Amino acid sequence: MTSSAPSPASASVLDLAPVVPVVVVEDLDDAVPMARALVAGGLPAIEVTLRTPVALDAIRAIAAEVPDAVVGAGTVISARNVADSVAAGARFLVSPGWTDSLLTAMRGAGVPFLPGVSTTSEVVALLERGVSEMKFFPAEAAGGTAYLKSLGSPLPQARFCPTGGITPASAPSYLALKNVGCVGGSWMLPADAVAAKDWARVESLAREAASLR
C-alpha cells in the first residue's frame, strides 16, 4: 500500500471498507464460509494472520473460492513469509513492524503492503523511503487516537490502519481522524460464533462494522 504500488482492484486497501477483519484461522474448514460471511456483511478486505499452521492454506482457499474477497496476509515478519503469502494468493501484506530487509521483500512482492509502526521515528523513516500507508500497532497500547491525532499536523502525508485493542465502541473515534483510512479488529468474529460455525451472526456483526463510517 505504497503510493507506487496500488492494489489492482482499488487505489488503496485502506479505502475498501472502514474495518479490516483480523482473522486467525484454526480450522481450515472455517476459512471459506467465514470469508463469505465477512464479504456478505460488507467487509471485503480480510487479513488472515500467519499465526496458525493452516494460515497459508486458508489464504489459498479464500483466494480460490471467494472471488469478492480481497484476502491478505498478516503477521508477516520475514522475506519467506512474504514469498509464501503471495504464492498462496495474498493480495496485500501486513506486518506488525518493519526492518529494511522486510521492507525490501514487501516492495518486491508486487502487492500492496502495510508495514507496522508505533513511533514517530518509524513513521518518518518510512516516509523517507517513499511509504505513506502504514499499520499503527498496537494501537491502544501505543497511544490510541490521541497519538494518531498528534501525528496529523507534522506528518499529514502518512495514513494509517490502527490495529490492536480496538472495539466497536472505540472504532468510530479512530475513523473520525483524517489520517486513518480504516481500522483492524476481530470483534466481528467472536470465539463462540466461530466455534458454533454461526456464520449468520458473523455476517450480522460484519454488517454493523461496515456501517461504522
Side-chain angles (χ1 to χ4, degrees), residues 126-209:
L126 283 176
L127 290 173
E128 187 178 71
R129 288 160 173 79
V131 179
S132 60
E133 297 187 345
M134 314 166 194
K135 170 179 178 173
F136 179 60
F137 175 83
E140 286 290 283
T145 55
Y147 193 96
L148 285 172
K149 185 176 182 180
S150 71
L151 293 180
S153 294
L155 302 171
Q157 62 272 55
R159 295 181 75 215
F160 302 94
C161 174
T163 304
I166 297 175
T167 67
S170 63
S173 61
Y174 282 95
L175 293 168
L177 298 176
K178 292 181 179 179
N179 57 353
V180 169
C182 63
V183 300
S186 57
W187 69 82
M188 69 296 300
L189 294 161
D192 58 341
V194 173
K197 303 188 186 301
D198 187 352
W199 308 124
R201 182 178 172 205
V202 170
E203 180 180 338
S204 176
L205 291 170
R207 187 169 290 107
E208 292 175 8

Side-chain angles (χ1 to χ4, degrees), residues 33-207:
M34 181 187 298
R36 286 176 175 156
L38 292 170
V39 171
L43 302 180
I46 301 170
E47 176 188 337
V48 177
T49 64
L50 302 183
R51 302 180 195 175
T52 66
V54 301
L56 289 171
D57 287 332
I59 291 171
R60 192 171 289 110
I62 294 169
E65 299 183 46
V66 192
D68 291 333
V70 180
V71 63
T75 324
V76 173
I77 59 172
S78 68
R80 177 64 180 271
N81 286 163
V82 170
D84 288 347
S85 297
V86 173
R91 293 171 61 185
F92 65 95
L93 305 169
V94 184
S95 67
W98 67 278
T99 64
D100 279 319
S101 59
L102 179 57
L103 192 64
T104 297
M106 291 193 291
R107 276 190 187 280
V111 299
F113 58 91
L114 285 176
V117 298
S118 60
T119 69
T120 306
S121 293
E122 291 171 318
V123 176
V124 171
L126 283 176
L127 290 173
E128 187 178 71
R129 288 160 173 79
V131 179
S132 60
E133 297 187 345
M134 314 166 194
K135 170 179 178 173
F136 179 60
F137 175 83
E140 286 290 283
T145 55
Y147 193 96
L148 285 172
K149 185 176 182 180
S150 71
L151 293 180
S153 294
L155 302 171
Q157 62 272 55
R159 295 181 75 215
F160 302 94
C161 174
T163 304
I166 297 175
T167 67
S170 63
S173 61
Y174 282 95
L175 293 168
L177 298 176
K178 292 181 179 179
N179 57 353
V180 169
C182 63
V183 300
S186 57
W187 69 82
M188 69 296 300
L189 294 161
D192 58 341
V194 173
K197 303 188 186 301
D198 187 352
W199 308 124
R201 182 178 172 205
V202 170
E203 180 180 338
S204 176
L205 291 170
R207 187 169 290 107

